[in-house]
Amino acid sequence: MAARLAAVPAFGTVDRRTAALRAAARAADTLVVALPAADTLAEPQKLPAKSAVQDYFRVRTAELTAGQAARQAVEVIHRGLVDLRDTPLAGSDIARETAAMRQVVVDLAGDDADLTDDGGEGVEPGLDTQADVPSFAPRRPEDMWLARWITGHHVHVLFNVYATFALRSANQALRDGDWPEATALLARTTVYVQGFPAARAHAAALPAEHYANAVRPTMVPTVVPVPLSGSAHVEYRAYRKAVEELIAALPEPIEQLALRAPELAFAREALLEADLIEAERHVCLVEPVVGSARSLVQPPATTDNAVSVLRAMRHKRAAAIAPYVRFKDSLAKVLRDG
């Protein structure tokens, strides 16, 4: 499965890319079947939701065994890959989403696993004689778009969870003084964070009219008990807390840290830059489907809209990371100094 994901030609022809995504989805399906049936989580829908957002997106958080975690992760990746075959995404988003999916597989397999395989490279369209994986996409485009909205968010949550695990481990390694381990874990976290906006783009790959008329109304009362807000994303909030803990554990400015631990300094910088890009992409992904509308939780009298609030959050994040990156945002300097 890792090899199939690595071999997806994100910038190849449509036929080659589709064939490779189909092969990766089949590998995921095969892995789900191969995992012990005892690792199936019994009645996950009965687990309590920790927020209205979890309830809406059909996400639950629970402590899992290693086997249960593997099955849950691979099932999410499988559904994501099946939909990704028909999702109009930029090559860079396909590359980063599949890279983060592969990182999940690597983390689940462990550092000692042999992830080499014959099968990922050179998948030719029309030469794949095995039965195709079952498609979860309903026939009506409207149903496909709504299913994609949920599936893409499941992939996004998966990346949030694994990024948080990796970053917490990096923070602990820093506290233990194990800089090489912390550096490797920060690099692993960065792969997931680069996958955040790609998964968001996957979820939002639907017409603006359909989002406004069919999807957005499902996120406000009376369909849900309260208007849904990004601040209620439990898994993403856990990741943001881990970022704060990273700065607390490693507070040195980059000019100082790079002199005594350059690899660690640049690994931290790469993660924080990816985190800033995630905020920038959030603005760009929301605008096409929301336009100038206010967010679901903003009162009518507010002078901001959804995009302007996200843009302000991006500026605040840029100011916060300025001491830890070489190429600082000029606006961040203004905010920090004045």
Side-chain angles (χ1 to χ4, degrees):
M1 182 174 170
R4 296 283 189 180
L5 286 165
V8 173
F11 298 95
T13 64
V14 172
D15 287 345
R16 290 184 63 84
R17 184 170 62 248
T18 301
L21 287 169
R22 184 170 62 243
R26 183 177 300 108
D29 184 53
T30 301
L31 182 53
V32 171
V33 173
L35 290 169
D39 289 328
T40 303
L41 191 63
E43 299 183 310
Q45 69 278 6
K46 292 187 177 181
L47 293 170
K50 295 184 178 180
S51 72
V53 170
Q54 275 198 347
D55 201 28
Y56 173 84
F57 283 110
R58 301 158 206 169
V59 171
R60 297 294 184 271
T61 303
E63 297 229 1
L64 304 176
T65 66
Q68 288 172 334
R71 178 175 287 274
Q72 290 292 315
V74 177
E75 286 178 348
V76 169
I77 292 173
H78 179 219
R79 291 193 297 271
L81 286 168
V82 169
D83 185 69
L84 196 57
R85 298 175 306 171
D86 300 317
T87 304
L89 279 190
S92 56
D93 282 329
I94 294 173
R96 288 185 166 181
E97 185 172 353
T98 53
M101 288 176 171
R102 183 183 183 278
Q103 189 64 56
V104 173
V105 178
V106 171
D107 284 357
L108 288 169
D111 293 336
D112 297 330
D114 181 6
L115 297 179
T116 58
D117 182 73
D118 64 348
E121 297 183 322
V123 178
E124 292 288 346
L127 298 182
D128 194 351
T129 58
Q130 301 182 48
D132 200 359
V133 294
S135 176
F136 295 112
R139 290 183 179 179
R140 284 200 329 137
E142 294 81 3
D143 293 336
M144 178 183 68
W145 293 328
L146 183 58
R148 175 173 298 152
W149 178 246
I150 300 297
T151 297
H153 276 91
H154 283 181
V155 176
H156 184 262
V157 169
L158 181 73
F159 294 166
N160 289 173
V161 169
Y162 278 81
T164 304
F165 282 149
L167 188 49
R168 284 175 176 169
S169 298
N171 293 340
Q172 185 58 53
L174 288 170
R175 289 189 288 268
D176 294 340
D178 190 345
W179 289 2
E181 178 68 8
T183 300
L185 286 163
L186 289 175
R188 185 177 299 184
T189 307
T190 301
V191 175
Y192 289 126
V193 176
Q194 289 175 338
F196 288 0
R200 274 207 183 106
H202 182 172
L206 53 134
E209 295 81 4
H210 181 75
Y211 176 82
N213 297 328
V215 177
R216 208 165 195 252
T218 67
M219 295 187 285
V220 293
T222 58
V223 179
V224 291
V226 295
L228 302 189
S229 166
S231 62
H233 280 277
V234 174
E235 298 77 18
Y236 187 68
R237 284 209 321 265
Y239 159 73
R240 295 244 55 87
K241 183 179 179 182
V243 173
E244 294 173 2
E245 292 169 353
L246 168 65
I247 300 303
L250 196 64
E252 290 179 74
I254 190 167
E255 293 82 3
Q256 296 177 19
L257 185 59
L259 292 177
R260 65 186 184 90
E263 291 184 350
L264 179 61
F266 299 143
R268 181 188 63 178
E269 178 188 57
L271 172 59
L272 295 176
E273 288 280 10
D275 190 62
L276 180 59
I277 292 296
E278 189 269 337
E280 294 173 349
R281 287 291 309 280
H282 198 178
V283 176
C284 297
L285 289 169
V286 164
E287 189 279 330
V289 293
V290 174
S292 62
R294 294 178 176 88
S295 76
L296 299 176
V297 296
Q298 285 179 291
T302 182
T303 57
D304 291 312
N305 66 4
V307 170
S308 68
V309 168
L310 288 173
R311 191 175 289 126
M313 292 169 62
R314 178 263 169 218
H315 296 335
K316 183 178 179 180
R317 194 174 301 179
I321 71 167
Y324 314 111
V325 298
R326 285 169 290 174
F327 307 107
K328 306 173 193 338
D329 194 311
S330 58
L331 178 60
K333 293 179 182 178
V334 172
L335 291 173
R336 191 184 66 226
D337 299 336

